[in-house]
Amino acid sequence: MSYKIENTRYERRIMCLAIPARIVELEADRAVVDAMGNCFRAKTTLLPEAKLGDLVLVHAGFEISVVDEEEAKKTWHLIAEVNNFKETQDKVSG
Amino acid sequence: MLERIYKAQLLCDTACKTLGRQINIMEVCGTHTVSIFRNGIRSTLPKRLKLLSGPGCPVCVTDTGFIDTVLQLAGRDDCLIATYGDMIRVPGKGGSLETKQPSDNVRIVLSSEDALQLARDNPQKTVVFVAVGFETTAPATAVAVKEAAAGSVDNFCILSGHKLVVPAMRALLAEKNHNIDAFLCPGHVSVIIGYGAFAGIVERFSRPCVVAGFEPMQIIEGLGEICRQLAEGIAELKSIYTAVVTEQGNTTAQKIIDECFEPADGCWRGLGRIEKSALKLKDGFSQFDALKRFDITETQGEDISGCRCGEVLCGLIDPPECDLFGESCTPQAPVGPCMVSSEGACAAWFKYGRGRKVKRKN
């Protein structure tokens, strides 16, 4: 794998918010996706039509839907905000 | 953009005037809850339009009995618990995974695939994957179970706490004292189940159901659409999250859920037992069912003394009305699940200071 895989913090929670990401590597049903510069593994089992270069929604390690660029940007923006919320809460939580 | 906000506000105003009473709209998605607070959406709405945070956070609705079962398994030397990160602080009757068990037996995973890999890497232990989440997450668990079956990973099993959104919404409306006028339906759950899944609620209970995305404009316009319907005295099913939600949803994911799971009665925190509201593994996969493997009967847990998360989840009270809120229950030391999860209604109220202010007045 040429991409550095990170365990992004966006994936740690089980909320029903899926994360938009671009498929940057694809081998059989195993993909590497890039969300806001973070690369992580995601499987295409639930979205067999996914192709290399597609923007997809990823949830709990699986791609669940194809998404367009404009929608992806909106959600990235929102995730950044929600993470800001979470980080503040973590600080409060100590 | 402003024009669109004004238009939605006007629709909300008109509905409040037409009905001449308070309007209660419930959002059934934790991410909606957070976005509503984060973007100050309440401040843009008429005072008589009230937003209720429903049972839309998978962590919050998990029954204490389920947590106690997880704790019981975590106490066994031959088990390794694989769980999503936000479950470890959720309190059951006997504490939480964080406070109760040696951390050696508990591993945080990011997906069901990681849990399966954990099982492959630790053949001497039985890996129990704590499978929680709504329909968005259930297919991921199903894929892991199918792979475990195909690859004969015999030391892998799941404790299914998967819940279904629609039966819970029906249960809320079936209660006599409910005060719900309409639902703002979850966005990414709908990616899987399709917005058509809410049709039954609209028909049976005559409540508007509108699927919206998570960005502020989507939420405001979703509320506007609901208010338009309420003012006109109609109830319709509509999705304004057309970018990713279709009427049928992701049929591949639905098929995989159906292959592995069947609906079963489930215990929800605060809502109690709801018919066919949970997913349990089908008989063909029973060897991967932790309850069967360890011969455990899951019982409905008792509510934690003084905690009113159940009433919060049903939209009957706002978090500050609970005596524990902000006093003995805070994000540092949560008593109830709605304070644990960052998506929980109590955590959101606390974080944005609304509750604290009300509390001081008392």
Side-chain angles (χ1 to χ4, degrees):
Chain A
M1 294 276 179
S2 55
Y3 289 88
K4 192 181 163 220
I5 309 291
E6 292 176 41
N7 284 342
T8 118
R9 61 176 185 269
Y10 308 123
E11 282 282 271
R12 266 173 215 272
R13 280 161 285 133
I14 197 54
M15 52 160 72
C16 294
L17 177 65
I19 296 134
R22 192 178 297 281
I23 301 179
V24 291
E25 276 184 23
L26 184 62
E27 195 186 318
D29 63 348
R30 293 184 303 278
V32 174
V33 296
D34 178 333
M36 297 181 281
N38 290 294
C39 289
F40 52 96
R41 292 194 178 90
K43 295 189 79 169
T44 59
T45 324
L46 306 175
L47 195 69
E49 65 269 32
K51 299 185 300 293
L52 191 68
D54 277 355
L55 266 171
V56 289
L57 285 178
V58 181
H59 178 74
F62 288 85
E63 290 148 25
I64 57 169
S65 170
V66 176
V67 65
D68 65 37
E69 187 102 26
E70 191 194 353
E71 187 55 35
K73 278 183 184 154
K74 283 181 195 166
T75 312
W76 281 328
H77 182 67
L78 179 83
I79 289 167
E81 287 187 344
V82 172
N83 270 297
N84 174 34
F85 170 82
K86 174 71 180 155
E87 275 163 23
T88 320
Q89 202 193 30
D90 283 346
K91 274 179 207 154
V92 174
S93 310
Chain B
M1 178 153 155
L2 268 176
E3 245 171 56
R4 286 163 66 190
I5 296 178
Y6 290 150
K7 192 179 163 204
Q9 280 177 323
L10 187 65
L11 289 168
C12 294
D13 272 335
T14 311
C16 288
K17 281 177 191 145
T18 311
L19 270 67
R21 61 169 174 86
Q22 179 174 300
I23 293 174
N24 301 303
I25 300 174
M26 179 174 273
E27 84 264 1
V28 201
C29 173
T31 311
H32 276 154
T33 305
V34 172
S35 184
I36 285 165
F37 275 103
R38 178 74 186 81
N39 296 295
I41 286 174
R42 277 187 171 80
S43 64
T44 66
L45 303 173
K47 283 208 173 63
R48 285 203 287 183
L49 180 63
K50 190 171 182 196
L51 297 180
L52 311 169
S53 303
C57 149
V59 175
C60 304
V61 300
T62 303
D63 186 60
T64 47
F66 181 84
I67 304 289
D68 290 338
T69 306
V70 177
L71 289 173
Q72 189 187 333
L73 289 169
R76 292 176 63 114
D77 289 338
D78 56 347
C79 280
L80 205 52
I81 304 291
T83 174
Y84 292 114
D86 44 7
M87 285 302 288
I88 66 161
R89 296 184 69 216
V90 180
K93 194 76 182 164
S96 69
L97 279 175
E98 191 177 56
T99 60
K100 194 72 182 170
Q101 296 301 335
S103 52
D104 284 1
N105 281 359
V106 181
R107 303 286 166 84
I108 292 175
V109 293
L110 305 177
S111 76
S112 54
E113 290 288 304
D114 292 355
L116 192 57
Q117 191 55 44
L118 196 65
R120 290 191 188 105
D121 296 343
N122 294 277
Q124 76 287 4
K125 296 254 194 180
T126 299
V127 169
V128 181
F129 177 54
V130 184
V132 294
F134 293 118
E135 290 92 331
T136 331
T137 323
T141 306
V143 171
V145 169
K146 277 182 69 181
E147 281 182 14
S152 305
V153 187
D154 294 331
N155 64 325
F156 175 80
C157 62
I158 68 156
L159 185 64
S160 177
H162 283 303
K163 299 270 194 293
L164 303 171
V165 169
V166 176
M169 291 163 70
R170 283 175 174 275
L172 283 171
L173 292 177
E175 288 287 325
K176 280 198 186 82
N177 62 343
H178 83 83
N179 53 1
I180 303 157
D181 289 309
F183 285 111
L184 188 68
C185 299
H188 288 164
V189 165
S190 304
V191 170
I192 302 291
I193 64 176
Y195 70 83
F198 301 101
I201 292 181
V202 178
E203 280 165 28
R204 164 81 175 77
F205 297 97
S206 302
R207 293 289 186 280
C209 283
V210 174
V211 177
F214 304 105
E215 46 123 8
M217 185 60 85
Q218 278 272 319
I219 293 176
I220 290 175
E221 289 193 324
L223 294 171
E225 167 60 23
I226 287 171
C227 285
R228 179 190 70 78
Q229 295 184 24
L230 290 173
E232 291 177 22
I234 54 171
E236 289 172 352
L237 172 62
K238 197 160 178 181
S239 168
I240 61 164
Y241 196 24
T242 47
V244 290
V245 174
T246 60
E247 187 172 2
Q248 287 78 27
N250 182 332
T251 47
T252 308
Q254 290 167 17
K255 214 172 122 224
I256 289 177
I257 294 179
D258 285 346
E259 280 174 38
C260 292
F261 290 109
E262 58 192 0
D265 295 355
C267 290
W268 294 58
R269 200 175 295 227
L271 282 74
R273 184 171 284 274
I274 302 175
E275 206 177 307
K276 294 191 173 168
S277 66
L279 291 174
K280 78 170 184 90
L281 283 173
K282 283 189 170 167
D283 284 346
F285 294 96
S286 57
Q287 68 186 103
F288 300 102
D289 189 333
L291 291 178
K292 289 191 178 142
R293 183 172 298 204
F294 295 102
D295 198 20
I296 299 168
T297 318
E298 211 182 354
T299 48
Q300 187 174 346
E302 294 167 39
D303 286 339
I304 298 164
S305 169
C307 171
R308 297 178 75 184
C309 276
E311 288 163 86
V312 171
L313 290 169
C314 296
L316 298 174
I317 62 163
D318 282 334
E321 290 173 55
C322 173
D323 283 341
L324 306 184
F325 180 85
E327 304 285 336
S328 58
C329 182
T330 61
Q332 293 98 313
V335 175
C338 299
M339 191 62 96
V340 175
S341 166
S342 59
E343 289 205 310
C346 297
W349 277 76
F350 190 87
K351 145 92 176 155
Y352 288 99
R354 287 177 65 96
R356 278 175 285 184
K357 213 186 273 174
V358 173
K359 204 77 194 177
R360 265 184 233 120
K361 272 186 203 161
N362 291 344

